[in-house]
Amino acid sequence: MLDPYVVLGVSKTATQDEIKKAYRKLAKTTHPDLNPGNKELEKKFKEVAHAFDQVGTADARAKFEKGDEEQKQYENYQRQSGRGFSQSQEHGGRYASGFGEQFDPGDIFESLFGGRGQKSRRSGPMAGEDELYKLEVEFKEAALGGEKIISLPGGKKLQVKIPAGIEEGQKLRFKGQGGAGTNGGPNGDVYVEAHIKALHGFIRQGKDIEVELSVSFFEAIAGSEVSVPTLDGEVLLTIPSGVSTGSKLRVKGKGVGAGESRGNQIVTIKVVTPKEVPAGLRDALNDLKSKYDYQPRSV
């Protein structure tokens, strides 16, 4: 049997408030709703809940301490008498105690759990269940912030303010909006987990946003001004003369975040030549080549 004090990480002299504080902290980190599919934490949560069931209230704790003492006395007697469990069994499942009467293991169970049975519930205050919701967030909302309304069980509406720069999988906590507590216990919390939709052409890298911009051979050679998309709409970007594919240009303040802390948009240049080159253009380029040829593969 696991020691409830060890499970909760408190000493046997801990106050009831210290026990409750330890339980709530562990319950929130191991709750199955916040860790879906994690069997290890689910098992840990059950152990934590059972430990609190044993010592979470003064009455339950007193019964546990009494039962623990009885169990120690019984085990001590077994060691002193030199009899194992199977040796002491007699008369249809009752056990000789060595104290002039028969010993019933059911008495230990009743001492431990107060006669409540395996599905027992503690009589003291109990916090309500935490609830987890998965929220689909548009790429722009995640980058710049926004608001959404979600519906909770029972029809209650919850206004969710999405902070600028929220990360994939990040959880927003709404205290006291979860399941109702019992026996005067506090309500649980609601956790909203963000899942960000992709936006074609835009890639997020930390606080920066990366896009690719195709330019013509002429725009790359001569330089020009080209319209480039951002989350705030189209802006004009100056293409300097002589850029190559892979060159990166910065559009300041068009990345992720808000105000002065907002990141930048990084534009990667891709020089595109026509798939079909007209004969006249080829002739003109050959003429220019004879006058202005350059070595792109310098060692």
Side-chain angles (χ1 to χ4, degrees), residues 96-116:
S97 68
F99 296 106
E101 61 182 22
Q102 288 184 315
F103 179 81
D104 188 350
D107 295 337
I108 288 184
F109 184 87
E110 187 171 355
S111 298
L112 290 173
F113 299 100
R116 292 167 295 170

Side-chain angles (χ1 to χ4, degrees), residues 63-285:
K63 290 177 181 179
F64 170 78
E65 297 291 352
K66 179 184 176 185
D68 190 42
E69 183 60 32
E70 288 179 356
Q71 178 68 20
K72 288 178 181 177
Q73 290 177 4
Y74 175 61
E75 290 174 353
N76 184 54
Y77 162 71
Q78 290 289 75
R79 286 193 296 270
Q80 291 176 355
S81 65
R83 293 189 298 169
F85 181 85
S86 60
Q87 291 175 313
S88 64
Q89 184 175 11
E90 61 184 25
H91 303 304
R94 297 182 66 83
Y95 302 85
S97 68
F99 296 106
E101 61 182 22
Q102 288 184 315
F103 179 81
D104 188 350
D107 295 337
I108 288 184
F109 184 87
E110 187 171 355
S111 298
L112 290 173
F113 299 100
R116 292 167 295 170
Q118 295 178 345
K119 298 296 184 180
S120 62
R121 291 187 177 274
R122 53 185 164 272
S123 59
M126 182 177 179
E129 293 287 333
D130 290 339
E131 298 169 2
L132 176 66
Y133 295 86
K134 295 184 179 181
L135 179 64
E136 190 173 73
V137 181
E138 298 293 333
F139 186 94
K140 183 176 179 178
E141 287 177 320
L144 305 183
E147 289 187 359
K148 282 184 177 291
I149 304 293
I150 64 174
S151 297
L152 301 180
K156 183 178 179 180
K157 303 291 186 182
L158 181 65
Q159 187 174 21
V160 179
K161 185 175 182 180
I162 301 167
I166 191 171
E167 301 280 353
E168 170 67 24
Q170 183 177 335
K171 295 184 180 74
L172 304 176
R173 179 190 178 198
F174 296 85
K175 189 175 181 179
Q177 297 296 321
T182 56
N183 297 325
N187 290 348
D189 301 329
V190 164
Y191 289 85
V192 177
E193 185 177 273
H195 292 276
I196 303 171
K197 292 179 64 176
L199 181 60
H200 179 70
F202 291 81
I203 297 175
R204 180 171 165 179
Q205 294 290 349
K207 297 187 69 174
D208 291 337
I209 291 176
E210 297 182 354
V211 301
E212 186 179 78
L213 180 67
S214 296
V215 298
S216 72
F217 170 79
F218 300 105
E219 289 170 329
I221 289 292
S224 62
E225 283 192 337
V226 179
S227 181
V228 60
T230 74
L231 294 181
D232 299 308
E234 300 280 335
V235 299
L236 282 177
L237 176 66
T238 298
I239 308 297
S241 174
V243 297
S244 303
T245 292
S247 297
K248 295 183 182 295
L249 305 176
R250 184 182 70 165
V251 182
K252 189 176 180 180
K254 295 299 181 181
V256 174
E260 295 181 358
S261 64
R262 189 173 176 184
N264 304 311
Q265 179 162 303
I266 307 301
V267 181
T268 301
I269 299 298
K270 180 181 179 181
V271 180
V272 179
T273 58
K275 292 182 178 180
E276 296 182 6
V277 181
L281 176 58
R282 189 182 297 110
D283 293 340
L285 291 174

